[in-house]
Amino acid sequence: MRSGPALTWVVGRGGLLGRSVETALTTASWRPPGPILWSAPSGATGLRDQAAQFLRAAGEQPWSVAWCAGAAVMGASATELELELAALRETLDALAAAPRGSDGAFFFASSAGGV
């Protein structure tokens, strides 16, 4: 385990939950260079690329990802849900590729979690 402050990426920082989590952070926050295209099939690929950029930015310091994103609700279509699940899957796969011995954490939350 490495010492020092963690670098944190809040996925969904534009939403109510993500904005609140990012505001409460006591560690450095990483912001991706561009928006996430949630409704596009390329959204998952974009998140995979952003996860790789995040890991490069973290380098050898501890890191954490707070997944506070999600738009799938009761009225969401199967296609919308699959796009969201694909984005989550791609992000987790990219983070799993972190170098061995990397000190990382993943937190999953949803403001629609009770739906």
Side-chain angles (χ1 to χ4, degrees):
M1 185 182 294
R2 291 167 181 85
S3 62
L7 181 64
T8 302
W9 174 25
V10 179
V11 180
R13 59 182 287 276
L16 181 63
L17 179 61
R19 187 172 35 250
S20 296
V21 168
E22 190 172 66
T23 299
L25 285 176
T26 58
T27 61
S29 178
W30 181 81
R31 295 182 178 182
I36 297 166
L37 305 174
W38 292 104
S39 60
S42 63
T45 303
L47 272 163
R48 182 180 56 233
D49 294 343
Q50 288 182 1
Q53 291 171 13
F54 170 71
L55 290 173
R56 280 193 299 276
E60 293 189 13
Q61 69 182 321
W63 57 266
S64 61
V65 174
W67 185 279
C68 301
V73 294
M74 295 296 282
S77 70
T79 301
E80 291 169 320
L81 180 57
E82 186 51 43
L83 287 172
E84 194 167 307
L85 290 174
L88 177 59
R89 221 176 354 260
E90 288 290 331
T91 303
L92 289 172
D93 287 347
L95 293 173
R100 209 174 222 355
S102 179
D103 187 9
F106 185 85
F107 171 77
F108 180 86
S110 170
S111 58
V115 175

